[in-house]
Every structure is written in C-alpha cells, then in structure tokens.
Amino acid sequence: MQIEEVITKKQQKEFLNFRKKLYRDNAVYVDNFLFMLQELFARKTSFVNDKKIHAFQVSEEGKTVCQGIVVYAKALPEYIQLCFFESLPGRKEAAGRLLEKAVELGKQYQCKKLVIGLNGHVNYGLGLLCNRYEEKNSFSAAVNPAYYHELLGGEDCEKIYLNTYRTVADYNRLKRYGALLGKLERYYTYRTFDRKAFDTFAKIYTDLNNEAFKDHRYYYERTYREDREMLKELFLFMKEDSLIFAFHGEKPVGFVMWYPDFNELAGPGEAFGAKHFFKNLAVGRRITTGKIMEYGVLEEYRKSGLVIGLLDQVFKALQRHGIQNVKSSWILQENRDSDSVCRALCDEPHKRYVVYEKTI
C-alpha cells in the first residue's frame, strides 16, 4: 500500500478519473464538485490564495483505492480538513493512512482538530450523507455510500449532525403569518439581485454573509473576490430572483438564496456543467423542485420575524416559476432557530448528514 501526494497533471487526471469511475452509471449520484476540483488543481480560483491544499491518493498494487484533499485555511486555524473523500468499499486500512496523513499535516500547521466533511468552506459543502442513500442528490448536495462511515467515523470522533427538510411549494403555508408579513412590509423592502449592478450586489452578499454567520460553526470570512467568482458561476443558471435581499431603509439587513434543483436535468453518474444544463433546457425538461440554499439576517433584526418575510419572497418566486416542491440545504441540528423555522414550514425532516471531528 502506498500513499502519494497528487502534484503532476498525470496524477491529477488519475485523481479525477477515480471519482468518475466510482460513480459511473450510479442512478442516484450527480457530481456537483468535479468543476471545483478541476479549478483547484489548475489554481484558477482565488479560493486557493490563503490556503494550503494537499491532495492524496492511496494505492494498492498500482491502483487507486482511496483519495481525499487535506485543506488548511488560515482563517480557520483550529482545524485541518479532510475534504472530498472517496474510497472503494472495505478499504479501512487505506482510509486510515489518509487520516494519518491529515493528522500529520494538522500537527505541522498547529491545528487542534481534524474535521471530516467540510469542503474547504461551508459554502462548498458540509457533511457526509447518512440516510436516504437511494435518492438522487440535489444540486450542490453531497452524496456518498453508507460504508464511508465505517471508514471514517471512529469511536474517538465527535459527531455533529445536520438536517435537510422538504415540503410542497404551497403558498398557503405562509397565510397564517399574514399579520406578521403585513407588519414586515411596513418596515422592510425586498430587492432581487441586479446583474447590471453585479459587483454592488455581490459585495452586499459577502458583507451580509460575513456578519450574519460570524458565530456559525466552521464559518470564516469570505473575500469579495471569492464570492464574485462563485456568483458568476451560479448566475449562469440562476435568475435574478434567486438571490433576494431585505433592506431596512437603505441598509441591507438580510438575504435568502434559492435555485431550481438543476440535478433533475442530469443523468446517472454525470458531472453537472453549463453545457449539460443548456442541452437539457433545449429539449424542454421542466425542473419541479426548488432548493433554499441559505438565508441570513443581521443579529439585531432576527427577532423581527424577517426570516419569514424572506421565505415569503421565495415562495412567491417558486409560484412564478411553476415549481411544485421545495427542499432546504443542510441546517446544523444545533442551530435551533433555523431548525424550528424549517419544522414549522415543512412536512418532515428529509436527509441527514454528519460531520466528524477528532482531537489531534
């Protein structure tokens, strides 16, 4: 058994091909992360600027059996991260070698903990799937085989759980909040993202994220450049009403981002991309599900009920686009405020995810 760092273009190609072969023709898997990994290897994204990124693959008899990327983010110095883990079944020893390498690097960077399931930043994914393995993953959501938990989640790991929710996109669910919504309309206005003022609205988005999520587990500040790049990619697919801001006077105080579940357009085992998206739209396939990706409200405005106002704007947009169902992105189970909002508006918890933490 051998572990090697992925450095050359040949090694990078092998790394990407391993994940392609692992999920080829898998009916419930769409690869949402291939494009990001390609950008990481090519160093075309500003995401790499303040991070140490090490990709590794473990091989047996010359063939890759396990791989992952170890990330150290200077803005999250307590943690060394094991990201984008993939493995063949039954490779406990190989996974152990990879974990040992991550811990070794963590000690070099003076980290206190290893976190497994954080993909560099919470904006790029958090958690390993731990139920409903038979269902296709939604756009931007992780998916993995059940056996990954046997390879990664030892008794010495703390487990942090996350939930997603789903319901029908029925605007009647919000009618019971009619009095609150009327009050909110007197104090707040809502504006959709304006592509003609892209940089202005992208900056508002970054500032709101950095302020609203400053105490969120694993969150660390984003740069304007990072978010501008991310939004440029997302707005290849999203419409302007997929990113909605709340203003108190002229002050931005909250936002919500949602988008159609583009993975409905993808076939088994495919890596999703712009070319594939437009090809499927050309044959008239309609997306039936929307996904609420994130929302944030500045701390001093949270008790106003503004979250309900933002979600009201989303449900109106879902109606305009003829979307019948809605899912949430992951929500930390410890985040009681957000979890209670979802439980009030949704039919049921849907998928569950877990993050592993290990003291090093």
Side-chain angles (χ1 to χ4, degrees):
M1 183 177 298
Q2 181 180 0
I3 184 168
E4 61 180 1
E5 187 164 1
V6 174
I7 297 173
T8 68
K9 291 188 179 299
K10 180 181 178 183
Q11 290 172 319
Q12 292 171 358
K13 184 176 180 180
E14 291 172 353
F15 188 99
L16 297 176
N17 283 340
F18 177 76
R19 63 185 291 121
K20 291 177 184 178
K21 291 177 182 177
L22 190 64
Y23 294 105
R24 183 175 293 163
D25 300 323
N26 186 316
V28 298
Y29 180 82
V30 178
D31 193 341
N32 295 310
F33 301 113
L34 180 64
F35 178 73
M36 181 180 180
L37 291 173
Q38 290 171 330
E39 286 201 324
L40 285 178
F41 284 145
R43 302 190 69 83
K44 290 183 177 179
T45 170
S46 59
F47 179 74
V48 305
N49 290 347
D50 61 346
K51 298 172 183 69
K52 301 294 184 181
I53 299 173
H54 307 268
F56 295 98
Q57 49 192 9
V58 185
S59 60
E60 295 178 358
E61 298 180 354
K63 294 185 178 179
T64 302
V65 298
C66 176
Q67 66 180 33
I69 295 180
V70 179
V71 173
Y72 170 71
K74 294 179 181 178
L76 195 68
E78 182 179 359
Y79 296 98
I80 192 75
Q81 306 173 41
L82 177 58
C83 319
F84 304 109
F85 173 84
E86 302 291 356
S87 178
L88 296 176
R91 297 319 200 270
K92 182 74 173 178
E93 183 180 354
R97 293 287 296 275
L98 187 57
L99 289 168
E100 288 172 1
K101 180 60 70 172
V103 169
E104 178 185 323
L105 285 168
K107 290 179 178 178
Q108 289 180 23
Y109 295 123
Q110 300 182 323
C111 302
K112 296 179 181 178
K113 294 182 179 181
L114 167 67
V115 58
I116 305 166
L118 172 61
N119 289 338
H121 191 279
V122 293
N123 282 17
Y124 299 116
L126 183 66
L128 299 168
L129 181 67
C130 52
N131 72 343
R132 297 184 182 270
Y133 300 104
E134 75 284 358
E135 296 182 15
K136 178 186 280 191
N137 58 314
S138 58
F139 187 68
S140 79
V143 66
N144 52 265
Y147 64 80
Y148 279 17
H149 302 285
E150 300 171 8
L151 303 180
L152 298 172
E155 294 181 358
D156 57 346
C157 290
E158 179 186 358
K159 300 177 179 64
I160 294 97
Y161 287 102
L162 311 90
N163 298 316
T164 68
Y165 291 84
R166 67 178 177 183
T167 186
V168 294
D170 182 1
Y171 187 72
N172 289 325
R173 290 177 180 271
L174 288 160
K175 284 186 176 179
R176 60 182 149 167
Y177 299 105
L180 172 62
L181 292 171
K183 181 179 178 181
L184 291 170
E185 287 177 1
R186 294 196 295 271
Y187 293 99
Y188 302 98
T189 56
Y190 303 98
R191 305 178 196 174
T192 61
F193 192 93
D194 186 350
R195 295 191 199 204
K196 294 179 181 178
F198 194 99
D199 288 347
T200 297
F201 278 84
K203 183 178 182 296
I204 292 172
Y205 171 79
T206 301
D207 288 339
L208 285 172
N209 269 265
N210 286 340
E211 181 62 25
F213 299 137
K214 61 184 179 182
D215 297 322
H216 191 285
R217 186 189 286 264
Y218 305 127
Y219 186 87
Y220 57 92
E221 284 198 353
R222 298 275 289 173
T223 68
Y224 295 135
R225 184 175 177 183
E226 285 173 338
D227 278 341
R228 189 180 188 280
E229 289 174 357
M230 183 186 74
L231 291 172
K232 279 288 186 184
E233 292 169 0
L234 286 174
F235 273 104
L236 291 173
F237 316 123
M238 296 195 317
K239 298 184 183 299
E240 290 179 318
D241 64 0
S242 285
L243 183 49
I244 303 167
F245 299 94
F247 285 77
H248 184 226
E250 290 302 311
K251 179 182 179 180
V253 296
F255 77 97
V256 61
M257 179 190 287
W258 75 277
Y259 38 63
D261 183 3
F262 301 114
N263 279 10
E264 288 187 11
L265 303 173
E270 291 184 342
F272 190 86
K275 181 178 179 180
H276 182 83
F277 172 79
F278 290 115
K279 179 180 177 181
N280 278 275
L281 282 187
V283 298
R285 290 175 59 183
R286 178 180 291 276
I287 297 175
T288 63
T289 301
K291 182 172 181 179
I292 300 176
M293 187 60 192
E294 60 174 346
Y295 61 79
V297 174
L298 298 185
E299 184 174 4
E300 59 266 38
Y301 294 89
R302 288 175 190 167
K303 293 182 180 180
S304 68
L306 184 55
V307 168
I308 297 297
L310 287 163
L311 294 177
D312 176 64
Q313 296 297 308
V314 171
F315 272 71
K316 288 176 179 177
L318 294 173
Q319 283 191 318
R320 288 194 298 271
H321 294 290
I323 290 177
Q324 303 162 8
N325 306 293
V326 61
K327 297 177 181 177
S328 77
S329 182
W330 54 263
I331 296 166
L332 284 165
Q333 194 166 284
E334 66 192 22
N335 186 346
R336 295 183 179 180
D337 289 343
S338 292
D339 200 60
S340 63
V341 169
C342 287
R343 288 182 182 275
L345 291 178
C346 297
D347 292 324
E348 59 179 351
H350 184 214
K351 291 187 176 182
R352 199 178 195 208
Y353 299 82
V354 65
V355 176
Y356 295 112
E357 274 193 21
K358 178 179 179 180
T359 301
I360 59 176

